[in-house]
Amino acid sequence: MKTEFKTKIQSIIDNKTKPLGSLGVLETIALQLAVIQNTDKPKVDAPFHTVFAGDHGICSQNVNAFPQEVSAQMVGNFLNQGAAINAFCDVQLIAMQVVNMGVKHFDENITHKMLINKPIAKGTEDFSQTQAMTEEQCKKALNIGHKLISLQIKEGANLISLGEMGIGNTTTAAALMAKITDLDVEQCTGMGTGSDAQGIKRKNEVIKQALVLHAEAKTGIEILQCLGGFEIAGMVGAILCCYENNTPVMIDGFIASAAALVAMQMQPESKQNMIFAHCSNENGHKKMLDFMQVTPLLDLGLRLGEGTGAVLAIPIVQSAASFLNNMASFDDAQVSNKDA
């Protein structure tokens, strides 16, 4: 039935008042949206953005250019509407929330309408020495992401975008990438928030050490537990929730794509709900996208995180839905088709 439905939607797209295929990638997105929502009139007019934040024990290995306190400071910046992601959401009037999954230096007594406090611990453990999370912690992080996004979908969100904050998480994402793709570690690591050559060398060393330590981890959830972060696990849970609820999900840059990579390991069919927003300037991202056989919508030289690229790409997705919903067919407009 899905094949028949795709054929039907493709026929609708092909018969719009335009040369065949002339809307390029927008046609691909329109078809994807229709299939995800199982309708020829997909709606993505109520996007919702979530930033998952967490700290990483691997920072004890001096792999981060910025001090770990910055994670908490940036959460405060989000709440004060001072970050790039706030500015981009404001332009499009997109509601957003920030989820504290385990930010080491964050004051958990702070309350704010945008803040969801769900700390699992004061950051993960050092995955070069032990598992990043216990099995219980990993499942709890997945469940938090799943439940929070499920709530937003129930409240009317029909397009989810994801971002993250966590000093050290480029090292974590690179470790997940190296483990799952089996690429050389050097192809997976990059400068992150500003590491120099020595910092990148240090990242490579600790990731290689971790891959030996966690060689027995095979399944998606085992790999996530051993090498992941609380905020990455939250995004994995969110992605799986979107799949289960027929909702498209915008995947941001390197860190969010690592979450997507894990989600595909856990549920391969979840890929069909993912829209990859942009190619990050982080060294390993293009290789990760190539491994997943996906093409991002934008390439703007971004490497900020927070979901900035995901939010920037939302109007493109909305435009794809709009042409499918509103553009006339040749018959409707009484315009002669090429083959008429």
Side-chain angles (χ1 to χ4, degrees):
M1 284 297 292
K2 184 171 284 190
T3 301
E4 291 177 10
F5 182 72
K6 288 180 74 172
T7 301
K8 173 191 170 185
I9 299 300
Q10 189 62 58
S11 178
I12 293 172
I13 292 171
D14 291 345
N15 282 288
K16 297 294 185 181
T17 47
K18 60 177 180 58
L20 195 66
S22 60
L23 283 177
V25 174
L26 289 181
E27 299 190 17
T28 305
I29 299 169
L31 177 61
Q32 183 181 3
L33 293 173
V35 171
I36 290 170
Q37 296 184 354
N38 195 32
T39 177
D40 60 359
K41 296 288 186 183
K43 289 187 176 182
V44 285
D45 56 353
F48 189 86
H49 186 65
T50 299
V51 178
F52 290 92
D55 272 315
H56 296 256
I58 196 64
C59 287
S60 65
Q61 298 295 327
N62 299 316
V63 295
N64 43 304
F66 279 78
Q68 208 161 21
E69 288 84 356
V70 169
S71 298
Q73 292 164 359
M74 280 303 300
V75 170
N77 196 26
F78 298 144
L79 301 182
N80 291 326
Q81 299 286 337
I85 190 58
N86 301 108
F88 296 166
C89 283
D90 286 350
V91 167
Q92 300 179 57
L93 304 179
I94 294 174
M96 67 173 275
Q97 66 184 3
V98 182
V99 187
N100 172 22
M101 300 289 290
V103 178
K104 186 173 183 180
H105 298 284
F106 187 71
D107 181 357
E108 293 166 16
N109 293 315
I110 291 174
T111 58
H112 192 282
K113 63 181 180 180
M114 198 189 299
L115 176 67
I116 307 292
N117 254 320
K118 294 286 185 181
I120 294 164
K122 292 289 188 179
T124 55
E125 297 297 320
D126 177 355
F127 64 67
S128 70
Q129 304 298 315
T130 186
Q131 293 181 340
M133 303 171 239
T134 65
E135 182 179 359
E136 180 183 0
Q137 287 176 328
C138 187
K139 289 180 177 178
K140 184 176 181 181
L142 286 165
N143 192 45
I144 289 169
H146 192 289
K147 282 190 171 182
L148 290 176
I149 297 307
S150 178
L151 178 62
Q152 292 305 325
I153 293 171
K154 287 176 182 175
E155 291 185 352
N158 51 27
L159 177 64
I160 297 297
S161 66
L162 302 175
E164 42 62 42
M165 179 63 220
I167 294 299
N169 65 8
T170 51
T171 302
T172 299
L176 290 168
M177 176 184 173
K179 177 68 174 178
I180 293 171
T181 65
D182 206 29
L183 290 169
D184 291 341
V185 169
E186 286 79 6
Q187 296 187 65
C188 303
T189 54
M191 66 187 298
T193 53
S195 295
D196 57 15
Q198 280 299 112
I200 293 172
K201 181 180 178 182
R202 183 65 182 149
K203 282 187 186 182
N204 293 337
E205 290 171 354
V206 298
I207 291 172
K208 287 176 182 178
Q209 181 179 333
L211 293 177
V212 172
L213 179 64
H214 303 297
E216 297 304 311
K218 301 297 182 186
T219 66
I221 195 166
E222 288 172 348
I223 293 168
L224 181 62
Q225 180 185 329
C226 288
L227 297 169
F230 293 142
E231 84 283 30
I232 293 175
M235 287 191 290
V236 174
I239 291 167
L240 295 176
C241 176
C242 288
Y243 166 69
E244 292 164 17
N245 286 277
N246 304 318
T247 303
V249 55
M250 303 294 298
I251 306 298
D252 189 49
F254 186 58
I255 317 300
S257 294
L261 191 62
V262 173
M264 287 182 201
Q265 294 294 304
M266 295 175 66
Q267 172 49 268
E269 290 187 2
S270 65
K271 179 181 177 181
Q272 68 192 31
N273 287 60
M274 303 180 198
I275 299 171
F276 289 82
H278 76 112
C279 184
S280 169
N281 233 15
E282 184 66 18
N283 178 55
H285 194 214
K286 187 178 187 307
K287 299 179 185 69
M288 191 191 295
L289 295 171
D290 289 344
F291 179 83
M292 293 187 283
Q293 298 182 318
V294 296
T295 303
L297 298 179
L298 302 171
D299 189 347
L300 301 174
L302 307 176
R303 55 178 184 85
L304 178 57
E306 305 175 8
T308 45
V311 169
L312 286 170
I314 285 174
I316 296 174
V317 176
Q318 292 175 323
S319 296
S322 183
F323 101 73
L324 179 57
N325 293 335
N326 301 316
M327 190 175 177
S329 69
F330 284 103
D331 289 341
D332 293 336
Q334 297 183 334
V335 174
S336 296
N337 200 346
K338 176 184 175 183
D339 299 324

